[in-house]
């Protein structure tokens, strides 16, 4: 008796639907993509109970003609391509012809549509992939598609849904992604009849970001500088926004990549962004970034997964370096000094308390007024400055007043590192750790002496490395060092012998369970005791272990890894050689650090990503003393 059976059509449809549709957010994604491909100028998404009860998407696109209405729900039916070669010139988000039949196979669908060439519309009701009703209707050009009872015929799938709030959050994320990628289209999202998200549709990506993430984000963003593509490789155009290093996160979830306006997750692009930031971010910190890449369709493969959230570049090296260079150039030409701002709701001058105080003063006697003024003076002296992100209210007011030091929000303009206008004469050292300096604009700059010295020494070491023809010289120890190694340390050395020799360590095996170190990199000359040599080697090896291959090709991989190892080596040496926090400096010592910072190529952070300085603006000082 044969045991291999051909599955019936309905079963095949339910199984295939799981590859495309797994929760309400994936339904919203597919329907919104259809609306965008239809040339819509306005897309309205309505969901009930986190998408469990219904999902309705309405657009003003070209619509579907009467003859194609039923065909659209058949498997692999699409208007986007006719043959496989068309993928090389694909300009749409959809192309597989799987979305509508997959959704219809596991839900109850109603569609009302009218094509721009027809005087009437078409209504269809489809249930479990079968058309139950069809008629003509009167409506405007465009399409409304409603999905009810998702997975009603697959109860086990419903149990995989998360809470209503979680499913709604995922739907918001889908709508937000496409609202940012298509800022010229007006998006609206309603949940249970309440407006959740609305964009202007004015074509400005920054406005779409502000509508989605809040106006306080605008102050933190820098617009990517457009690079002139080399004549030999006009492959990638990079647009978008990145955050200043001070606004960083511990995960990658705030990195958004769009390739030809399709939202994707690309490790290549994410690593290129990190490479562009270089030492401006700590190793395990990530920025907020929205990158929109334009790549010829023939240079990218989007046909990897039914959900189309993965892509493969045919020339990854060029994509990687275009993104990294765009990010790096933008940061080099921007003012990245964090500002000291007043924490919202603290101190005696928050708006609410000030209004209450004004009302109280009207009813108080002259004696009480004097008493309250004395209290206010005391509070002024007690008010502490705190470094944090500005609030929405403060950003809005500051923009109206023309304040801030980073130029207009989101433009990415401002004083670059080449224009760091700190006066060479420092004012004072406080807490034996920080140098107080002043800018030409009369802002106060508080400099972390250790972080600043690290940056200065790091760049000097890099400069010497390049001048020496990319060689790392070593210094022979007065006597060979025979460390006591744990089993873990022993095998670390065995696995990385060649790499350590490239970095300037002269070591050789001594018996079965030990090594002898005869020379160390000259950058550590006079700075390392014997007990610190293995510590530095471990740090270098650990850094090597965290280096990820970011571009394809053996030569590119070796080059990327060597650059990362050099950063670890030179940043460690710079840290060892730098003045420490708590160390009292002479006036000339402070002056030397300020001068070195002014000459640095990237003076805003130490090699490990910590800020070297923060700014207290003249405007903020005058506001605190009630002079504004």
């Amino acid at each position: 008796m044969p045991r291999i059976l051909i599955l019936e059509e309905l079963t095949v449809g339910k199984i295939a639907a799981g590859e495309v549709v797994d929760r309400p957010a994936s339904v919203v994604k597919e329907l919104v993509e259809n609306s965008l491909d239809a040339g819509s100028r306005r897309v309205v998404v309505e969901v009930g109970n986190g998408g469990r009860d219904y999902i309705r998407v309405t657009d003003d696109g070209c619509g579907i003609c009467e003859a194609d209405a039923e065909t659209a729900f058949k498997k692999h039916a699409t208007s986007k391509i006719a043959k496989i070669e068309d993928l090389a010139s694909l300009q749409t988000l959809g192309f597989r012809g799987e979305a509508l039949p997959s959704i219809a196979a596991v839900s109850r669908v109603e569609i009302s549509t009218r094509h721009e060439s027809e005087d009437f519309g078409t209504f269809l009701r489809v249930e479990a992939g079968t058309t139950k009703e069809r008629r003509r209707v009167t409506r405007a050009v465009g399409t409304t598609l409603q999905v009810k009872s998702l997975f009603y015929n697959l109860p086990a799938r419903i149990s995989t849904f998360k809470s209503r709030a979680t499913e709604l959050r995922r739907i918001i994320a889908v709508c937000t992604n496409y609202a940012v990628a298509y800022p010229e289209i007006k998006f609206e999202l309603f949940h249970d009849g309440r407006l959740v998200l609305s964009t202007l549709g004015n074509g400005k990506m920054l406005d779409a970001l502000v509508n989605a993430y809040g106006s306080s984000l605008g102050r933190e963003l820098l617009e990517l500088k457009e690079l002139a593509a080399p004549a030999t490789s006009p492959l990638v155009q990079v647009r978008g926004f990145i955050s200043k290093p001070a606004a960083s996160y511990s995960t990658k979830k705030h990195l958004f990549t769009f390739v030809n306006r399709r939202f994707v997750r690309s490790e290549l692009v994410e690593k290129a962004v990190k490479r562009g930031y270089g030492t401006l971010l700590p190793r395990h910190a990530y920025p907020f970034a929205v990158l929109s890449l334009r790549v010829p369709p023939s240079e990218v493969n989007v046909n990897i997964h039914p959900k189309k959230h993965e892509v493969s570049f045919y020339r990854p090296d060029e994509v990687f370096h275009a993104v990294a260079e765009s990010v790096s150039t933008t940061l080099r030409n921007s003012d990245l000094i964090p500002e000291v701002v007043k924490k919202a709701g603290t101190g005696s001058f928050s708006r609410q308390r000030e209004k209450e105080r004004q009302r109280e003063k009207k009813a108080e006697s002259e004696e009480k007024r004097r008493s309250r003024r004395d209290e206010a003076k005391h509070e002024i002296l007690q008010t502490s400055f705190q470094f944090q992100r500005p609030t929405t209210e403060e950003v809005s007011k500051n923009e109206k007043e023309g304040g801030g030091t980073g130029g207009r929000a989101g433009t990415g303009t401002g004083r670059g590192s080449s224009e760091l206008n700190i006066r060479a004469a420092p004012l004072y050292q406080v807490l034996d750790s920080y140098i107080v300096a002043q800018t030409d604009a009369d802002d106060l700059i508080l400099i972390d002496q250790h972080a600043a010295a690290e940056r200065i020494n790091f760049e000097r070491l890099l400069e010497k490395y390049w001048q020496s023809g990319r060689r790392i010289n070593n210094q022979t120890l007065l006597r060979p060092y025979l460390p006591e190694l744990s089993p873990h340390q022993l095998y670390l050395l065995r696995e990385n012998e060649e790499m350590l020799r490239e970095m300037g360590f002269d070591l050789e095996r001594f018996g079965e369970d030990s090594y002898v170190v005869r020379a160390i990199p000259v950058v550590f000359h006079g700075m390392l005791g014997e007990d610190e040599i293995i510590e530095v080697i471990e740090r270098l090896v650990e850094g090597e272990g965290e280096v990820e291959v970011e571009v394809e090709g053996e030569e590119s991989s070796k080059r990327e890894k060597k650059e990362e190892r050099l950063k670890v080596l030179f940043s460690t040496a710079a840290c060892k050689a730098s003045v420490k926090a708590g160390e009292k400096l002479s006036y000339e010592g402070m002056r030397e650090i300020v001068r070195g910072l002014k000459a640095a190529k990237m003076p805003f952070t130490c090699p490990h990503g910590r800020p070297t300085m923060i700014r207290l603006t003249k405007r903020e000082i005058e506001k605190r003393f009630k002079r504004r």
Side-chain angles (χ1 to χ4, degrees), residues 436-471:
V436 180
Q438 189 174 349
T439 70
D440 294 339
D442 292 332
D443 296 339
L444 286 184
I445 301 294
L446 195 61
I447 300 171
D448 183 325
Q449 64 189 38
H450 176 67
E454 273 190 290
R455 166 55 64 180
I456 296 165
N457 289 327
F458 177 75
E459 293 197 3
R460 286 175 180 169
L461 290 173
L462 277 178
E463 186 67 25
K464 288 181 180 178
Y465 171 73
W466 289 108
Q467 290 176 354
S468 66
R470 302 186 186 184
R471 290 199 319 273

Side-chain angles (χ1 to χ4, degrees), residues 468 471-475 503-504 520-523:
S468 66
R471 290 199 319 273
I472 300 177
N473 298 318
N474 58 21
Q475 175 73 38
M503 293 293 104
I520 61 174
V522 72
V523 294

Side-chain angles (χ1 to χ4, degrees), residues 569-587:
L569 180 71
F570 291 149
S571 62
T572 303
C575 181
K576 293 284 184 182
S578 297
V579 60
K580 302 298 186 287
E583 186 174 333
K584 192 174 290 293
L585 298 178
S586 66
Y587 184 80

Side-chain angles (χ1 to χ4, degrees), residues 360-361 363-375:
E360 292 171 0
K361 282 184 178 180
E364 290 176 341
S365 65
E366 187 63 29
E367 183 179 353
K368 288 184 178 180
R369 291 178 191 172
R370 286 196 298 269
S371 175
R372 294 194 67 83
R373 280 198 296 269
D374 291 339
E375 291 175 9

